[in-house]
Amino acid sequence: MAKESVKARERKREALVIRFAEKRKALKAAGDYEGLDKLPRNASPVRLHNRCKLTGRPRGYMRKFGISRVTFREMASAGKIPGVTKASW
């Protein structure tokens, strides 16, 4: 489980990316790289890192579900994810 401060920092970055998206797009289209430099660093989408929505785990992230592989396995085994069953043969 990630620390709450780390999860909060990531949420803050996401908010900044959304807030400056239009401005970044306009500056890029105009080729104004000096204007881009003046934007906050965390406003760049490159600085985002996918994390599990439940635990905050940074590795083993599954985009389709938005959770880590560990959490996915627990939830799938418990039958909490519709349409997903444990393989057996």
Side-chain angles (χ1 to χ4, degrees):
M1 187 83 112
K3 293 190 328 188
E4 287 300 316
S5 59
V6 174
K7 291 194 274 186
R9 190 182 318 143
E10 196 63 34
R11 285 193 299 268
K12 191 175 178 182
R13 279 191 192 121
E14 287 175 14
L16 267 176
V17 168
I18 292 167
R19 194 168 103 199
F20 286 98
E22 289 298 320
K23 192 169 188 177
R24 283 184 66 80
K25 191 176 180 182
L27 289 171
K28 268 194 161 182
D32 183 10
Y33 297 107
E34 289 177 9
L36 278 171
D37 283 343
K38 291 178 183 174
L39 293 179
R41 281 190 170 190
N42 285 335
S44 173
V46 172
R47 292 175 69 99
L48 290 177
H49 192 86
N50 290 328
R51 287 185 172 272
C52 176
K53 300 295 180 207
L54 302 175
T55 61
R57 190 176 203 278
R59 296 185 179 191
Y61 179 80
M62 300 175 78
R63 284 185 183 186
K64 186 174 180 180
F65 300 97
I67 55 177
S68 69
R69 61 179 177 79
V70 178
T71 310
F72 175 80
R73 186 161 191 248
E74 290 170 359
M75 291 177 73
S77 294
K80 294 182 179 176
I81 303 175
V84 176
T85 56
K86 191 170 187 292
S88 60
W89 59 89

